[in-house]
Amino acid sequence: MLLDENPATLIHHTIGNFNIHPDKQAVTRINDSLSTLQQSRDLRMREAESAMRKLSRNLHSRLTQHEEAVSAHDSGKHAAEMVELDTKKFRIAKAATELEIESERLESELEVLKERLADLEAQGLEGDEMTRREREMDDSTILRLKIFRSLGIDIEPDEAGNFNRAVIRNSRKGDVHVVNIDSKFSRFFYANYFWSTMQG
């Protein structure tokens, strides 16, 4: 009987039945994914900044070459080189603009991820209030079903998940009774009916 068992053993079994290990693993995986994603975003931002610096140096080098070309060549050749340099300058400016837009997008994603991480850390390992309530409700339902089953009563759900059918087994008489539970009758009525069926 329950009172004959060591309370520490009962408490240990009770804690084990809550089974929070999968929740801890899920939170750990989320944190690992967020950390990996943030590292990836940081790496892409550094690569974008490095590319922008490289393009800036390239632009400066081209401008220097342009200045040297202006001083060393005639006006006709100079005009042709100017057109070529303008084209290259336009391409470089376009690439720099695209890199800047991508950098802003990555920064925005990083902020969203930081907010999500802050929400998860604020919720803790057990999740938000609604998640805890749903888990407690599920645990309570499971506990009630186990108690009924220990008494020889199986409560069966319908397709919508509502428990509206009971199968009562009387092991002494070898009888099986199937009861459809109707909301118009009280719980007290069904409790008396179940009890009398088990004892009958």
Side-chain angles (χ1 to χ4, degrees):
M1 302 203 269
L2 292 177
L3 296 178
D4 293 334
E5 293 191 32
N6 186 349
T9 302
L10 291 175
I11 292 172
H12 178 72
H13 287 311
T14 302
I15 292 173
N17 286 336
F18 280 112
N19 192 21
I20 64 172
H21 186 66
D23 294 331
K24 288 182 177 180
Q25 288 181 332
V27 171
T28 300
R29 287 195 300 271
I30 290 171
N31 287 335
D32 291 343
S33 296
L34 288 172
S35 176
T36 301
L37 189 55
Q38 184 171 349
Q39 291 175 4
S40 175
R41 295 290 185 265
D42 291 342
L43 177 61
R44 290 177 65 184
M45 286 182 63
R46 287 195 297 271
E47 290 175 349
E49 290 172 355
S50 175
M52 287 179 65
R53 287 193 296 269
K54 183 177 180 181
L55 288 171
S56 179
R57 289 193 299 270
N58 191 13
L59 177 60
H60 180 72
S61 174
R62 295 293 182 181
L63 289 174
T64 302
Q65 292 176 7
H66 166 67
E67 292 174 356
E68 292 175 353
V70 167
S71 60
H73 299 286
D74 59 28
S75 59
K77 191 175 181 180
H78 170 70
E81 288 180 352
M82 282 293 292
V83 170
E84 182 183 354
L85 287 173
D86 284 341
T87 302
K88 289 181 179 179
K89 181 179 178 181
F90 173 75
R91 290 175 182 166
I92 291 171
K94 182 180 178 183
T97 301
E98 291 174 352
L99 287 172
E100 185 176 352
I101 292 171
E102 177 66 9
S103 177
E104 291 175 357
R105 187 185 67 79
L106 291 174
E107 287 178 0
S108 177
E109 287 184 7
L110 180 60
E111 288 302 318
V112 171
L113 288 173
K114 284 180 178 178
E115 291 176 4
R116 177 64 180 149
L117 178 60
D119 289 342
L120 290 173
E121 289 176 347
Q123 292 173 11
L125 293 177
E126 303 226 349
D128 58 10
E129 184 66 24
M130 183 175 295
T131 303
R132 284 196 294 272
R133 286 181 182 174
E134 289 176 355
R135 188 164 55 247
E136 288 171 2
M137 183 177 64
D138 291 343
D139 292 342
S140 175
T141 302
I142 291 170
L143 180 60
R144 284 197 292 269
L145 290 174
K146 285 183 178 179
I147 292 172
F148 279 122
R149 196 169 292 119
S150 69
L151 296 173
I153 302 172
D154 287 329
I155 308 296
E156 299 178 352
D158 60 11
E159 295 180 356
N162 299 316
F163 295 96
N164 56 10
R165 181 176 173 176
V167 179
I168 306 170
R169 294 178 175 80
N170 188 327
S171 58
R172 289 183 297 178
K173 297 178 66 177
D175 290 342
V176 175
H177 295 274
V178 178
V179 180
N180 291 319
I181 300 172
D182 195 329
S183 59
K184 66 182 179 181
F185 296 107
S186 67
R187 292 183 179 182
F188 180 74
F189 167 80
Y190 282 112
N192 285 336
Y193 182 78
F194 289 173
W195 187 254
S196 64
T197 303
M198 289 187 300
Q199 297 296 319

